Amino acid sequence: MKKEIINVSRREFLISSGKVGAGFTIGLYLPGCSEQSGNEIHATSGATKMAPPQEISSTPAKGLKEVNAWVVIQPDDTVIIRIARSEMGQGTLTGLAQLVAEELECDWSKVTTEYPTPGENIKRDNIWRDFMTGGSFGIRGSHSYVRKGGAVARHMLIEAAAEQWGVDMAECSAANSVITHTPSGRTISYGKVADAAAELFPPEHVELKDPKDWKLIGQPVKRLDTDEKLNGKQVYGADLWMEGMLNASIKACPVFGGKLKSFDASKVTSMPGVHKVVAVGDDAVAVVAKTWWQAKTALDKLPISWDKGANAKVSTASIDAMLDEGLTSSKKVFVGNKNGDVNKALKGASKVVEATYRYPYQNHATMEPMNATAIWTKDKCEVWCPTQNGTAALQATAQAAGLPVSQCDVHKLHLGGGFGRRGAIHDFVVQAVAIAKQLPGTPVKLLWSREEDMAHGMYHPITMCKLTGGLNNKGDLTSLRVRISGQSILASINPAWMTNGADMFTFQGMLPEGDHAISYSVPNLLVDHAMRNPPVPPGFWRGVNINQNAIYFESFIDELAHTTDKDPLAFRQALMTKHPKSLAVLNAVAKKAGWGTPTEKGVGRGLAVCKAFASHIAACAEVSVNDKGELKILRIVAATDPGYAVNPQQIEAQVEGSFVFGLSALLYGECTIKDGAVEQSNFHDYPSMKIKEMPKVDVIVMPSGGFWGGVGEPTIAVAAPAVLNAIYAATGKRIRQFPLKDVDLNA
Amino acid sequence: MIKLKINGNVVDIDVDETTPLLWVLRENLGLTGSKYGCGIGSCGACTVHINGEAVRSCLVPVSTLNTSKEIVTIEGLSADTSHPVQQAWKELDVPQCGYCQSGMIMSAAALLKKKPQPSDADIDENVTNICRCGTFNRVRRGIHLAVQKNNKS
Ligand code: FES
Ligand code: FES
């Protein structure tokens, strides 16, 4: 592996040499926590009065000179690393800090992090680049420039020390935040030269380390953000409190596309704490009160009438009919992958197998419901919110505020889950600003109820898939036709990202090449998409289309293997000779899971493999189904090859977490539509997996080097199909409709 | 006025009596460690201890409480994050987004009080909190590790 030489532009320096200065503090307050001293404390309704609020700032580096945009070092050697991507549980904050620190050669025990704001990023000509945190991109999309940031800072620190000593910087080296002049043995710590380093020009170019020399990348270091998550001190958006703040609870028309007709504020204005009832946009109404509980209580009593609009009759059945039609239609069909002549090959096949699958709408159900806090005045608007994309949140803020972006900013808070819901669409920010605009100068926190969150998701899109496979007389797969019918995310979220009207994202895991390439070689292949867009808003979701595509594909490959009486592992292996990395993860799970060894009665094993977000992943599940039809997932062996593994213990956590997300979706995830609205309203009818259902997971992290793959999402793809194939092995029952809660495994 | 005993302190609160404890904690007392996830007792994010038992505070109207009920929230579980469950959680890096973790920790701590050596089945039955990030296997390991820590101390 070669060292990478990275050029540093002058322009970048000139921008980065500015201080992060005035106007960059956010002065938000955390209500006094457990600092009461045993005295009696009086708290009156709404007027929170406990220990004095403790100021926290998202910018601990305030007022300090930065070495460069990524690195600030305090006189006591504390290293503050700036992170542009968002932490939502996936560990990216720690992973990115590891990348910077690796090149910086700093003392890891003194590392802290902070978020720059997207507004500051724009003022500084996009110096922190991309704030978008999704598509498992946090690390793989920024590894090069953040490592460069660390390397440049290290160079400048060494140069400052050398200058101070009057020696040649080539005779100096740095490790663990200490610079050593080798000939004399003199040392000095980073904190002592950081100020001087900040005045230097950055080097013309820097060399990034050869991966074999990495000391911190690849280490299972502890997360940097754990402590405050253990004692209740972590402030999420939902927890924010500011002096004089009011709270809002909102209801938007439950029917998609419906509008607000009217509401009778007089029925609730005298209720405790109620401040104002406001229309929000043309489709929602909010109650603003002293406390959120008061706002919500009043909102529940508010008489509202809706104009349900054109979608009032949409139902799951009407949507299914749309998709059914698409399974065989030739209208609005886009090709995703094609080679050979599939129709001819199918005609000549000795055996043809066909199956149709369906995957439902699903909600993200982040543990922390959507929220945002806004302050609007006629010349400034600021928002505090959990977001996966600060830049997009800022644009949403400016638009809703009716102000130029330069007069707005967004302060990011850690997310209580994102899963794609808080990335592309900031409907909750737009609403918060629209409310704050009606109360100029007053901070207003909008928090959605869980019910609102269920009713107004950006749902995992719905699709059906019809697969037709042709086998020759030896039982080899010679042709495969895959017709996906259903919803496009891009058509709804951002048509500009489409390719000649096609949503290539729909084909995740089935594409001819790239991050989501198919893992098999089939001589005659056609994968296409009949785009059918029901009026239920779709969105990115953890994994998204790879989730159902892998179910379709991996279940069907299993069906084909069983039709030919071939071993599902051998059947796959034969198709994977040109995909050695995917084959390697598949073989690894088969071996560790004891594939081919006998199982007890009622127990079955199932495999799944795919490439997603540039990583190769595979799983082998072992399940039992008893005579009552009860499923128990006993064990899952999972392997992942993300190229480089920045923090193996966090990858392990993400793999385990992906199983919970993927299996919750498989077992329970379904939003059904009735009268144009989602029927489910909370966790009682949209359940999520619990610890009881969680299998033992053995994680094999097998980085093969040479590429950067994602880890937060890929494994979700193999979770469900491995379990479904294991259910088949245990029961002989092939499941093609989801979720499993609606399926009788005994029938 | 309602008098409550929270984390060892007696507090007077002037709220509508039907207000759930969760919202009194979060909005009147500024104890935001207890989280809102569902408001219907389904997720466990709001779990606190009342007289040592794990209780979902979103379902408890403050009118049912008085100073004979010792309420402990995540902020009061230990003064310095030293409870064995918190320590075990730290050692294993259990939290991901962390939003469910106050509730998870409070459920685990209440279980250990009731059953100092819980089996996996005990954990399955008592720790019924939802975690969308999927920390369950570390939660389970964390509880077993906390038992060891308890035994040592
Ligand atoms: S918020 Fe209380 S159980 Fe979910
Ligand atoms: S850690 Fe995120 S919901 Fe549990």
Side-chain angles (χ1 to χ4, degrees), chain A residues 522-557:
Chain A
V522 184
N524 299 285
L525 176 76
L526 175 64
V527 183
D528 59 17
H529 172 214
M531 194 185 293
R532 297 295 180 270
N533 293 324
V536 175
F540 295 110
W541 211 79
R542 194 175 180 186
V544 212
N545 293 320
I546 193 74
N547 306 5
Q548 75 276 12
N549 287 355
I551 289 180
Y552 302 155
F553 220 86
E554 286 300 294
S555 295
F556 192 65
I557 288 283

Side-chain angles (χ1 to χ4, degrees), chain B residues 10-130:
Chain B
V10 174
V11 292
D12 283 329
I13 299 156
D14 180 16
V15 286
D16 185 299
E17 301 216 328
T18 59
T19 309
L21 173 60
L22 173 65
W23 294 101
V24 170
L25 293 171
R26 291 180 55 81
E27 302 197 285
N28 299 89
L29 299 172
L31 297 168
T32 53
S34 305
K35 303 300 182 202
Y36 165 67
C38 68
I40 58 164
S42 279
C43 75
C46 63
T47 306
V48 302
H49 295 172
I50 299 183
N51 289 342
E53 294 264 351
V55 170
R56 296 190 169 178
S57 63
C58 67
L59 292 183
V60 181
V62 277
S63 58
T64 64
L65 300 168
N66 55 50
T67 50
S68 74
K69 314 257 173 142
E70 297 267 354
I71 299 162
V72 176
T73 69
I74 185 73
E75 291 89 348
L77 184 64
S78 68
D80 45 6
T81 323
S82 61
H83 188 282
V85 171
Q86 290 168 314
Q87 287 298 304
W89 252 235
K90 187 175 162 76
E91 201 167 315
L92 298 178
D93 252 4
V94 174
Q96 290 189 25
C97 83
Y99 194 81
C100 73
Q101 295 294 329
S102 299
M104 227 22 127
I105 290 169
M106 295 308 276
S107 296
L111 170 62
L112 290 184
K113 199 172 264 181
K114 199 158 69 174
K115 290 211 168 181
Q117 314 262 3
S119 65
D120 279 334
D122 293 330
I123 294 173
D124 287 347
E125 201 172 306
N126 288 276
V127 182
T128 54
N129 304 41
I130 291 175

